[in-house]
Amino acid sequence: MERQFKSSVITLEQFIIQKEQNFPYATGQLSKIIRDIVLASRIINREVNKAGLVDILGLTGETNIQGEEQQKLDLYANDQMIDALFKGRMVCAVGSEEEDDFIIKNGSTGKYIVLMDPLDGSSNIDVNVSIGTIFSIYRRKHLEGELTREDLLQKGSEQVAAGYILYGSSTMLVYTTGHGVNGFTLDPSIGEFLLSHPNMEFPEYCNTYSVNEGNYRDFFEGTKQYLRHIKRDSPKPYKLRYIGSMVADFHRNLLKGGIFMYPGTIQRPKGKLRLTFEANPMAFIAEQAGGMASSGRDRILDIDPQELHERVPIFVGNKEEVLKLESYIKAYGKYGREAITV
Ligand code: AHG
Ligand code: MN
Ligand code: MN
């Protein structure tokens, strides 16, 4: 009789293979990119875990004891990711928050373009608070000839995969290829990501909001009215949770229910976060998890990017909450009801 082996543990690798079997025509290229990103993230994770030792091992940006220049962690993460992606040969171009322009691999046969924020929440590195890596994958439109703007700057709705790695109390990978969202936790003892959060969805109940409310006085009227409403009129008080790392704030809200926002302000109407590197991948994940992502007016994934580093106001999380926010923006507009009627 055949012996039965039962284990409830599924590694990321096993998960990828299982999923590929559901798509017999898959070439495996996309999976290879995910593997390359994960490889880089494990290296970044190692350095992130040592960040607290910089005082005794040498500060980043300075020369270390061996006379080598110590790299800042966000630039280190950037280099690791780019290196892994191009060595993997499935990618023909990379856009990064740390690079002014696309890095194009001439002559590459890779069909994919990766956009990324190699280290998100970098101001939290020095204070031992969670940070992350965000990635977003597109397929090039024209397989022949030089890459065009149409290949490089696509709407978020064209993403074929997106995800983030959270360097927190545990290291986690959360990603989607458009068939739901799955979360994996790194088991450091075996160096493998294990499926820990299958089919992630925002819980129905939402009473957390995440925003840098220090900017309140400069928010537009619609945002202010929404914030006043959730604090003043809701039957149960909302919790305010704001870490200052989008990945960590988003992740908590995905697990517990909540809305993350980085609104526009009078000085910066488009806010701070990047459409390409931050908003689009998180919007894709949010929608795949039953949530919603809006600029306050438009669906994030429908926005046609005009430039690589374009910024966008973002409100992302539980669908009902984002809809409520949109209704306030619609009612009060940017400068308040009175300004709209003049
Ligand atoms: P990055 O470290 O990649 O520049 O991103 C930081 C972002 C985001 O993670 C976070 O939500 C936001 O900036 C925090 O900004 P404030 O300090 O203005 O709240
Ligand atoms: Mn960022
Ligand atoms: Mn960053």
Side-chain angles (χ1 to χ4, degrees), residues 97 117-122 132 134 246-247 273-274 277-278:
E97 196 200 63
D117 179 354
L119 216 54
D120 172 71
S122 40
I134 309 174
M246 187 196 201
V247 171
L273 301 184
R274 283 10 184 242
F277 310 123
E278 288 158 328

Side-chain angles (χ1 to χ4, degrees), residues 61-81:
E62 285 185 352
T63 308
N64 71 9
I65 226 157
Q66 288 86 27
E68 300 159 334
E69 180 98 355
Q70 295 281 96
Q71 248 184 334
K72 282 199 189 307
L73 210 47
D74 37 13
L75 296 179
Y76 177 84
N78 186 48
D79 289 357
Q80 288 300 328
M81 290 285 286

